[in-house]
Amino acid sequence: MLGFLKGDPKKKLQKEYEAKLQKALHAQRNGDLRTHGTLMEEAEKIYAELQKMDKE
């Protein structure tokens, strides 16, 4: 009934993906390559979920 009040899960994942990329960029610039790698791996998992949602 009030479906328009519910958040869009794809939009939420997109924001989370962009935030991970931003954090990874800052980690790389600060020379923390281990954290950069971890954040990029997490971002790739989120991106895979986004791609899966696009196919459905």
Side-chain angles (χ1 to χ4, degrees):
M1 185 171 146
L2 296 174
F4 66 91
L5 293 176
K6 293 182 181 177
D8 185 15
K10 184 178 176 186
K11 192 173 183 180
K12 181 181 175 186
L13 274 178
Q14 183 68 34
K15 284 186 178 182
E16 188 177 335
Y17 173 68
E18 291 172 5
K20 289 282 184 190
L21 289 178
Q22 195 69 260
K23 287 181 182 179
L25 177 67
H26 289 297
Q28 184 182 24
R29 286 184 178 169
N30 290 331
D32 190 359
L33 297 180
R34 180 168 289 166
T35 302
H36 172 262
T38 303
L39 289 170
M40 286 303 294
E41 187 176 318
E42 292 172 7
E44 287 174 6
K45 289 178 185 177
I46 295 170
Y47 184 73
E49 288 180 38
L50 283 169
Q51 295 295 7
K52 184 178 175 184
M53 290 177 87
D54 282 342
K55 289 182 181 179
E56 294 177 351

Short mmCIF file of all heavy atoms in Angstrom, two decimals:
data_model
loop_
_atom_site.label_atom_id
_atom_site.label_comp_id
_atom_site.label_asym_id
_atom_site.label_seq_id
_atom_site.Cartn_x
_atom_site.Cartn_y
_atom_site.Cartn_z
N MET A 1 0.82 -1.19 0.00
CA MET A 1 0.00 0.00 0.00
C MET A 1 0.87 1.26 0.00
O MET A 1 0.69 2.14 -0.81
CB MET A 1 -0.92 -0.02 1.20
CG MET A 1 -1.90 1.13 1.23
SD MET A 1 -3.09 0.85 2.53
CE MET A 1 -3.35 2.51 3.03
N LEU A 2 1.77 1.33 0.91
CA LEU A 2 2.66 2.50 0.98
C LEU A 2 4.06 2.11 0.51
O LEU A 2 5.06 2.39 1.15
CB LEU A 2 2.71 3.05 2.40
CG LEU A 2 1.39 3.61 2.94
CD1 LEU A 2 1.53 3.99 4.40
CD2 LEU A 2 0.93 4.79 2.12
N GLY A 3 4.12 1.48 -0.63
CA GLY A 3 5.38 1.00 -1.17
C GLY A 3 6.36 2.12 -1.49
O GLY A 3 7.56 1.91 -1.50
N PHE A 4 5.84 3.30 -1.75
CA PHE A 4 6.73 4.42 -2.08
C PHE A 4 7.55 4.88 -0.88
O PHE A 4 8.53 5.59 -1.05
CB PHE A 4 5.94 5.59 -2.66
CG PHE A 4 4.99 6.25 -1.69
CD1 PHE A 4 5.42 7.32 -0.92
CD2 PHE A 4 3.69 5.81 -1.55
CE1 PHE A 4 4.56 7.93 -0.03
CE2 PHE A 4 2.83 6.42 -0.67
CZ PHE A 4 3.27 7.48 0.10
N LEU A 5 7.17 4.48 0.31
CA LEU A 5 7.93 4.87 1.51
C LEU A 5 9.12 3.95 1.76
O LEU A 5 10.03 4.31 2.49
CB LEU A 5 7.02 4.86 2.74
CG LEU A 5 5.93 5.93 2.77
CD1 LEU A 5 5.05 5.75 4.00
CD2 LEU A 5 6.52 7.32 2.73
N LYS A 6 9.10 2.78 1.15
CA LYS A 6 10.20 1.84 1.32
C LYS A 6 11.39 2.31 0.49
O LYS A 6 11.25 2.83 -0.60
CB LYS A 6 9.79 0.44 0.88
CG LYS A 6 8.74 -0.18 1.76
CD LYS A 6 8.42 -1.57 1.31
CE LYS A 6 7.34 -2.16 2.20
NZ LYS A 6 6.95 -3.49 1.75
N GLY A 7 12.57 2.09 1.03
CA GLY A 7 13.78 2.46 0.32
C GLY A 7 14.08 1.52 -0.84
O GLY A 7 13.68 0.36 -0.83
N ASP A 8 14.76 2.02 -1.81
CA ASP A 8 15.16 1.22 -2.96
C ASP A 8 16.44 0.48 -2.61
O ASP A 8 17.48 1.11 -2.38
CB ASP A 8 15.38 2.13 -4.16
CG ASP A 8 15.69 1.37 -5.43
OD1 ASP A 8 15.47 0.15 -5.46
OD2 ASP A 8 16.15 2.02 -6.39
N PRO A 9 16.42 -0.86 -2.56
CA PRO A 9 17.63 -1.61 -2.17
C PRO A 9 18.78 -1.40 -3.14
O PRO A 9 19.94 -1.38 -2.74
CB PRO A 9 17.18 -3.06 -2.13
CG PRO A 9 15.90 -3.11 -2.87
CD PRO A 9 15.30 -1.74 -2.82
N LYS A 10 18.48 -1.22 -4.41
CA LYS A 10 19.54 -1.00 -5.40
C LYS A 10 20.23 0.33 -5.16
O LYS A 10 21.45 0.43 -5.23
CB LYS A 10 18.97 -1.05 -6.81
CG LYS A 10 20.01 -0.93 -7.88
CD LYS A 10 19.41 -1.03 -9.25
CE LYS A 10 20.49 -0.80 -10.29
NZ LYS A 10 19.95 -0.75 -11.62
N LYS A 11 19.45 1.34 -4.84
CA LYS A 11 20.01 2.66 -4.57
C LYS A 11 20.89 2.63 -3.32
O LYS A 11 21.95 3.24 -3.27
CB LYS A 11 18.87 3.66 -4.40
CG LYS A 11 19.29 5.09 -4.40
CD LYS A 11 18.07 6.01 -4.39
CE LYS A 11 18.47 7.45 -4.47
NZ LYS A 11 17.29 8.33 -4.46
N LYS A 12 20.46 1.88 -2.31
CA LYS A 12 21.23 1.74 -1.07
C LYS A 12 22.56 1.05 -1.35
O LYS A 12 23.61 1.49 -0.86
CB LYS A 12 20.42 0.94 -0.06
CG LYS A 12 21.11 0.77 1.26
CD LYS A 12 20.28 -0.05 2.22
CE LYS A 12 21.05 -0.31 3.50
NZ LYS A 12 20.32 -1.22 4.38
N LEU A 13 22.53 -0.01 -2.16
CA LEU A 13 23.76 -0.72 -2.51
C LEU A 13 24.70 0.18 -3.32
O LEU A 13 25.91 0.14 -3.14
CB LEU A 13 23.45 -1.98 -3.30
CG LEU A 13 23.13 -3.24 -2.51
CD1 LEU A 13 22.80 -4.39 -3.46
CD2 LEU A 13 24.28 -3.63 -1.61
N GLN A 14 24.13 0.99 -4.20
CA GLN A 14 24.94 1.89 -5.02
C GLN A 14 25.68 2.89 -4.14
O GLN A 14 26.86 3.15 -4.33
CB GLN A 14 24.06 2.62 -6.04
CG GLN A 14 24.83 3.52 -6.97
CD GLN A 14 25.72 2.78 -7.92
OE1 GLN A 14 25.39 1.68 -8.37
NE2 GLN A 14 26.85 3.36 -8.25
N LYS A 15 24.98 3.44 -3.14
CA LYS A 15 25.62 4.38 -2.22
C LYS A 15 26.71 3.70 -1.41
O LYS A 15 27.78 4.27 -1.18
CB LYS A 15 24.58 5.00 -1.28
CG LYS A 15 23.73 6.05 -1.93
CD LYS A 15 22.82 6.70 -0.92
CE LYS A 15 22.01 7.79 -1.56
NZ LYS A 15 21.15 8.49 -0.60
N GLU A 16 26.44 2.48 -0.97
CA GLU A 16 27.43 1.73 -0.20
C GLU A 16 28.66 1.43 -1.05
O GLU A 16 29.80 1.56 -0.58
CB GLU A 16 26.80 0.43 0.29
CG GLU A 16 27.65 -0.36 1.25
CD GLU A 16 26.96 -1.61 1.77
OE1 GLU A 16 25.71 -1.64 1.79
OE2 GLU A 16 27.68 -2.54 2.15
N TYR A 17 28.44 1.08 -2.31
CA TYR A 17 29.53 0.80 -3.25
C TYR A 17 30.40 2.05 -3.44
O TYR A 17 31.62 1.98 -3.37
CB TYR A 17 28.94 0.33 -4.58
CG TYR A 17 29.94 0.16 -5.69
CD1 TYR A 17 30.89 -0.85 -5.64
CD2 TYR A 17 29.92 1.00 -6.79
CE1 TYR A 17 31.81 -1.01 -6.67
CE2 TYR A 17 30.83 0.85 -7.82
CZ TYR A 17 31.77 -0.16 -7.75
OH TYR A 17 32.68 -0.31 -8.77
N GLU A 18 29.76 3.17 -3.66
CA GLU A 18 30.50 4.42 -3.87
C GLU A 18 31.28 4.83 -2.63
O GLU A 18 32.41 5.33 -2.73
CB GLU A 18 29.55 5.53 -4.31
CG GLU A 18 29.01 5.31 -5.70
CD GLU A 18 27.92 6.28 -6.09
OE1 GLU A 18 27.63 7.21 -5.31
OE2 GLU A 18 27.35 6.12 -7.18
N ALA A 19 30.70 4.59 -1.45
CA ALA A 19 31.39 4.91 -0.20
C ALA A 19 32.64 4.04 -0.02
O ALA A 19 33.70 4.52 0.40
CB ALA A 19 30.44 4.74 0.98
N LYS A 20 32.53 2.76 -0.37
CA LYS A 20 33.69 1.85 -0.27
C LYS A 20 34.80 2.30 -1.21
O LYS A 20 35.97 2.29 -0.85
CB LYS A 20 33.29 0.41 -0.60
CG LYS A 20 32.43 -0.26 0.41
CD LYS A 20 33.19 -0.73 1.59
CE LYS A 20 32.24 -1.48 2.51
NZ LYS A 20 32.83 -1.79 3.78
N LEU A 21 34.42 2.69 -2.42
CA LEU A 21 35.42 3.15 -3.38
C LEU A 21 36.12 4.41 -2.87
O LEU A 21 37.33 4.56 -3.02
CB LEU A 21 34.79 3.41 -4.74
CG LEU A 21 34.35 2.18 -5.53
CD1 LEU A 21 33.68 2.63 -6.84
CD2 LEU A 21 35.50 1.26 -5.81
N GLN A 22 35.35 5.31 -2.28
CA GLN A 22 35.91 6.54 -1.74
C GLN A 22 36.90 6.25 -0.61
O GLN A 22 38.00 6.82 -0.56
CB GLN A 22 34.78 7.44 -1.24
CG GLN A 22 35.18 8.86 -1.02
CD GLN A 22 35.49 9.57 -2.30
OE1 GLN A 22 36.65 9.71 -2.64
NE2 GLN A 22 34.47 10.00 -3.01
N LYS A 23 36.52 5.34 0.29
CA LYS A 23 37.41 4.97 1.39
C LYS A 23 38.68 4.29 0.87
O LYS A 23 39.77 4.53 1.38
CB LYS A 23 36.69 4.04 2.36
CG LYS A 23 35.65 4.73 3.22
CD LYS A 23 35.00 3.74 4.17
CE LYS A 23 33.91 4.40 4.99
NZ LYS A 23 33.27 3.44 5.90
N ALA A 24 38.51 3.45 -0.16
CA ALA A 24 39.66 2.77 -0.75
C ALA A 24 40.61 3.77 -1.38
O ALA A 24 41.83 3.65 -1.25
CB ALA A 24 39.19 1.75 -1.78
N LEU A 25 40.07 4.78 -2.03
CA LEU A 25 40.90 5.81 -2.64
C LEU A 25 41.72 6.55 -1.60
O LEU A 25 42.91 6.78 -1.77
CB LEU A 25 40.02 6.79 -3.43
CG LEU A 25 40.73 7.96 -4.07
CD1 LEU A 25 41.64 7.48 -5.18
CD2 LEU A 25 39.73 8.96 -4.59
N HIS A 26 41.07 6.91 -0.48
CA HIS A 26 41.79 7.61 0.58
C HIS A 26 42.86 6.73 1.21
O HIS A 26 43.95 7.20 1.54
CB HIS A 26 40.81 8.11 1.65
CG HIS A 26 39.96 9.25 1.19
ND1 HIS A 26 40.47 10.47 0.83
CD2 HIS A 26 38.63 9.34 1.03
CE1 HIS A 26 39.49 11.27 0.47
NE2 HIS A 26 38.35 10.61 0.56
N ALA A 27 42.55 5.45 1.38
CA ALA A 27 43.53 4.53 1.94
C ALA A 27 44.75 4.41 1.02
O ALA A 27 45.90 4.41 1.48
CB ALA A 27 42.91 3.16 2.18
N GLN A 28 44.50 4.35 -0.28
CA GLN A 28 45.59 4.24 -1.24
C GLN A 28 46.45 5.50 -1.22
O GLN A 28 47.67 5.43 -1.25
CB GLN A 28 45.04 4.00 -2.64
CG GLN A 28 46.12 3.79 -3.68
CD GLN A 28 45.54 3.61 -5.06
OE1 GLN A 28 44.43 4.05 -5.35
NE2 GLN A 28 46.29 2.94 -5.92
N ARG A 29 45.82 6.64 -1.16
CA ARG A 29 46.57 7.89 -1.15
C ARG A 29 47.41 8.04 0.11
O ARG A 29 48.45 8.70 0.09
CB ARG A 29 45.61 9.08 -1.27
CG ARG A 29 45.06 9.23 -2.65
CD ARG A 29 44.20 10.45 -2.76
NE ARG A 29 43.72 10.61 -4.12
CZ ARG A 29 42.78 11.45 -4.47
NH1 ARG A 29 42.21 12.23 -3.56
NH2 ARG A 29 42.39 11.55 -5.72
N ASN A 30 46.94 7.44 1.21
CA ASN A 30 47.68 7.51 2.47
C ASN A 30 48.74 6.42 2.57
O ASN A 30 49.44 6.34 3.58
CB ASN A 30 46.72 7.42 3.65
CG ASN A 30 45.87 8.67 3.79
OD1 ASN A 30 46.28 9.75 3.41
ND2 ASN A 30 44.67 8.51 4.32
N GLY A 31 48.83 5.57 1.56
CA GLY A 31 49.86 4.54 1.55
C GLY A 31 49.47 3.26 2.26
O GLY A 31 50.30 2.38 2.45
N ASP A 32 48.22 3.13 2.65
CA ASP A 32 47.75 1.92 3.34
C ASP A 32 47.18 0.95 2.31
O ASP A 32 45.98 0.87 2.11
CB ASP A 32 46.70 2.30 4.39
CG ASP A 32 46.34 1.16 5.31
OD1 ASP A 32 46.90 0.05 5.14
OD2 ASP A 32 45.51 1.37 6.21
N LEU A 33 48.08 0.22 1.67
CA LEU A 33 47.66 -0.65 0.57
C LEU A 33 46.90 -1.88 1.03
O LEU A 33 46.06 -2.40 0.29
CB LEU A 33 48.88 -1.05 -0.27
CG LEU A 33 49.59 0.11 -0.95
CD1 LEU A 33 50.78 -0.39 -1.75
CD2 LEU A 33 48.65 0.90 -1.84
N ARG A 34 47.15 -2.33 2.23
CA ARG A 34 46.41 -3.49 2.74
C ARG A 34 44.93 -3.14 2.92
O ARG A 34 44.05 -3.90 2.50
CB ARG A 34 47.01 -3.96 4.07
CG ARG A 34 46.26 -5.17 4.62
CD ARG A 34 47.01 -5.79 5.74
NE ARG A 34 48.19 -6.44 5.12
CZ ARG A 34 49.22 -6.87 5.80
NH1 ARG A 34 49.27 -6.75 7.09
NH2 ARG A 34 50.23 -7.44 5.19
N THR A 35 44.66 -1.99 3.52
CA THR A 35 43.28 -1.55 3.69
C THR A 35 42.64 -1.28 2.33
O THR A 35 41.48 -1.61 2.11
CB THR A 35 43.22 -0.28 4.57
OG1 THR A 35 43.82 -0.56 5.82
CG2 THR A 35 41.80 0.18 4.78
N HIS A 36 43.41 -0.70 1.43
CA HIS A 36 42.91 -0.44 0.07
C HIS A 36 42.46 -1.73 -0.59
O HIS A 36 41.37 -1.80 -1.17
CB HIS A 36 43.99 0.24 -0.77
CG HIS A 36 43.62 0.38 -2.21
ND1 HIS A 36 44.06 -0.51 -3.16
CD2 HIS A 36 42.84 1.27 -2.85
CE1 HIS A 36 43.57 -0.16 -4.33
NE2 HIS A 36 42.83 0.92 -4.17
N GLY A 37 43.26 -2.76 -0.49
CA GLY A 37 42.91 -4.05 -1.08
C GLY A 37 41.66 -4.65 -0.47
O GLY A 37 40.80 -5.18 -1.19
N THR A 38 41.55 -4.56 0.84
CA THR A 38 40.38 -5.09 1.53
C THR A 38 39.11 -4.35 1.11
O THR A 38 38.09 -4.96 0.81
CB THR A 38 40.55 -4.97 3.06
OG1 THR A 38 41.75 -5.65 3.44
CG2 THR A 38 39.37 -5.57 3.79
N LEU A 39 39.20 -3.02 1.06
CA LEU A 39 38.04 -2.23 0.67
C LEU A 39 37.64 -2.46 -0.78
O LEU A 39 36.45 -2.51 -1.11
CB LEU A 39 38.31 -0.75 0.92
CG LEU A 39 38.37 -0.32 2.39
CD1 LEU A 39 38.89 1.11 2.51
CD2 LEU A 39 37.01 -0.45 3.04
N MET A 40 38.62 -2.63 -1.64
CA MET A 40 38.32 -2.90 -3.05
C MET A 40 37.65 -4.26 -3.22
O MET A 40 36.74 -4.42 -4.03
CB MET A 40 39.59 -2.82 -3.90
CG MET A 40 40.09 -1.41 -4.12
SD MET A 40 38.89 -0.31 -4.89
CE MET A 40 38.72 -1.05 -6.50
N GLU A 41 38.08 -5.22 -2.42
CA GLU A 41 37.47 -6.55 -2.48
C GLU A 41 36.00 -6.47 -2.04
O GLU A 41 35.12 -7.07 -2.67
CB GLU A 41 38.24 -7.50 -1.57
CG GLU A 41 37.79 -8.94 -1.66
CD GLU A 41 38.65 -9.86 -0.81
OE1 GLU A 41 39.88 -9.68 -0.81
OE2 GLU A 41 38.08 -10.74 -0.16
N GLU A 42 35.74 -5.72 -0.98
CA GLU A 42 34.37 -5.54 -0.51
C GLU A 42 33.54 -4.80 -1.56
O GLU A 42 32.37 -5.13 -1.79
CB GLU A 42 34.35 -4.78 0.81
CG GLU A 42 34.94 -5.55 1.97
CD GLU A 42 35.10 -4.73 3.22
OE1 GLU A 42 34.63 -3.56 3.26
OE2 GLU A 42 35.68 -5.23 4.19
N ALA A 43 34.13 -3.81 -2.20
CA ALA A 43 33.43 -3.05 -3.24
C ALA A 43 33.08 -3.95 -4.42
O ALA A 43 32.00 -3.82 -5.00
CB ALA A 43 34.28 -1.86 -3.68
N GLU A 44 33.99 -4.85 -4.78
CA GLU A 44 33.73 -5.76 -5.89
C GLU A 44 32.56 -6.70 -5.57
O GLU A 44 31.76 -7.01 -6.46
CB GLU A 44 34.97 -6.57 -6.21
CG GLU A 44 36.05 -5.77 -6.89
CD GLU A 44 37.34 -6.54 -7.08
OE1 GLU A 44 37.38 -7.75 -6.77
OE2 GLU A 44 38.32 -5.92 -7.54
N LYS A 45 32.44 -7.12 -4.32
CA LYS A 45 31.31 -7.97 -3.93
C LYS A 45 30.00 -7.21 -4.05
O LYS A 45 29.00 -7.75 -4.52
CB LYS A 45 31.50 -8.48 -2.50
CG LYS A 45 32.60 -9.51 -2.36
CD LYS A 45 32.78 -9.94 -0.93
CE LYS A 45 33.95 -10.88 -0.78
NZ LYS A 45 34.18 -11.26 0.63
N ILE A 46 30.01 -5.95 -3.62
CA ILE A 46 28.81 -5.13 -3.72
C ILE A 46 28.46 -4.90 -5.19
O ILE A 46 27.29 -4.96 -5.59
CB ILE A 46 29.00 -3.79 -2.98
CG1 ILE A 46 29.15 -4.04 -1.48
CG2 ILE A 46 27.82 -2.86 -3.24
CD1 ILE A 46 29.57 -2.82 -0.69
N TYR A 47 29.48 -4.68 -6.02
CA TYR A 47 29.26 -4.47 -7.45
C TYR A 47 28.64 -5.71 -8.08
O TYR A 47 27.74 -5.60 -8.93
CB TYR A 47 30.57 -4.11 -8.13
CG TYR A 47 30.41 -3.78 -9.59
CD1 TYR A 47 29.82 -2.58 -9.99
CD2 TYR A 47 30.83 -4.67 -10.57
CE1 TYR A 47 29.68 -2.28 -11.33
CE2 TYR A 47 30.69 -4.37 -11.91
CZ TYR A 47 30.10 -3.18 -12.28
OH TYR A 47 29.95 -2.89 -13.61
N ALA A 48 29.09 -6.88 -7.66
CA ALA A 48 28.53 -8.13 -8.17
C ALA A 48 27.05 -8.25 -7.81
O ALA A 48 26.23 -8.70 -8.61
CB ALA A 48 29.31 -9.33 -7.64
N GLU A 49 26.71 -7.83 -6.60
CA GLU A 49 25.30 -7.85 -6.19
C GLU A 49 24.49 -6.88 -7.03
O GLU A 49 23.35 -7.19 -7.41
CB GLU A 49 25.17 -7.48 -4.70
CG GLU A 49 25.66 -8.54 -3.76
CD GLU A 49 25.52 -8.12 -2.30
OE1 GLU A 49 24.51 -7.49 -1.96
OE2 GLU A 49 26.45 -8.41 -1.53
N LEU A 50 25.04 -5.71 -7.32
CA LEU A 50 24.35 -4.74 -8.16
C LEU A 50 24.11 -5.31 -9.57
O LEU A 50 23.02 -5.13 -10.13
CB LEU A 50 25.15 -3.45 -8.26
CG LEU A 50 25.09 -2.52 -7.07
CD1 LEU A 50 26.15 -1.41 -7.20
CD2 LEU A 50 23.72 -1.90 -6.94
N GLN A 51 25.11 -5.97 -10.11
CA GLN A 51 24.97 -6.57 -11.43
C GLN A 51 23.90 -7.66 -11.42
O GLN A 51 23.13 -7.80 -12.36
CB GLN A 51 26.30 -7.15 -11.91
CG GLN A 51 27.37 -6.12 -12.14
CD GLN A 51 27.05 -5.17 -13.28
OE1 GLN A 51 25.97 -5.16 -13.85
NE2 GLN A 51 28.00 -4.34 -13.60
N LYS A 52 23.85 -8.42 -10.34
CA LYS A 52 22.86 -9.48 -10.21
C LYS A 52 21.46 -8.88 -10.15
O LYS A 52 20.53 -9.40 -10.76
CB LYS A 52 23.14 -10.29 -8.94
CG LYS A 52 22.26 -11.46 -8.73
CD LYS A 52 22.65 -12.23 -7.47
CE LYS A 52 21.69 -13.34 -7.19
NZ LYS A 52 22.02 -14.02 -5.93
N MET A 53 21.30 -7.76 -9.45
CA MET A 53 20.01 -7.10 -9.36
C MET A 53 19.58 -6.54 -10.73
O MET A 53 18.39 -6.52 -11.04
CB MET A 53 20.05 -5.98 -8.33
CG MET A 53 20.16 -6.46 -6.90
SD MET A 53 20.29 -5.12 -5.74
CE MET A 53 18.55 -4.81 -5.46
N ASP A 54 20.53 -6.09 -11.52
CA ASP A 54 20.21 -5.56 -12.85
C ASP A 54 19.68 -6.66 -13.77
O ASP A 54 18.81 -6.39 -14.60
CB ASP A 54 21.45 -4.91 -13.48
CG ASP A 54 21.74 -3.53 -12.93
OD1 ASP A 54 20.83 -2.93 -12.32
OD2 ASP A 54 22.87 -3.06 -13.12
N LYS A 55 20.20 -7.85 -13.62
CA LYS A 55 19.77 -8.96 -14.48
C LYS A 55 18.38 -9.42 -14.12
O LYS A 55 17.68 -9.97 -14.96
CB LYS A 55 20.76 -10.12 -14.37
CG LYS A 55 22.08 -9.83 -15.04
CD LYS A 55 23.01 -11.02 -14.96
CE LYS A 55 24.34 -10.69 -15.61
NZ LYS A 55 25.26 -11.83 -15.53
N GLU A 56 17.96 -9.23 -12.89
CA GLU A 56 16.64 -9.71 -12.45
C GLU A 56 15.54 -8.79 -12.82
O GLU A 56 15.49 -7.77 -13.22
CB GLU A 56 16.63 -9.92 -10.95
CG GLU A 56 17.53 -11.02 -10.50
CD GLU A 56 17.58 -11.18 -8.99
OE1 GLU A 56 17.05 -10.33 -8.26
OE2 GLU A 56 18.16 -12.17 -8.55
#
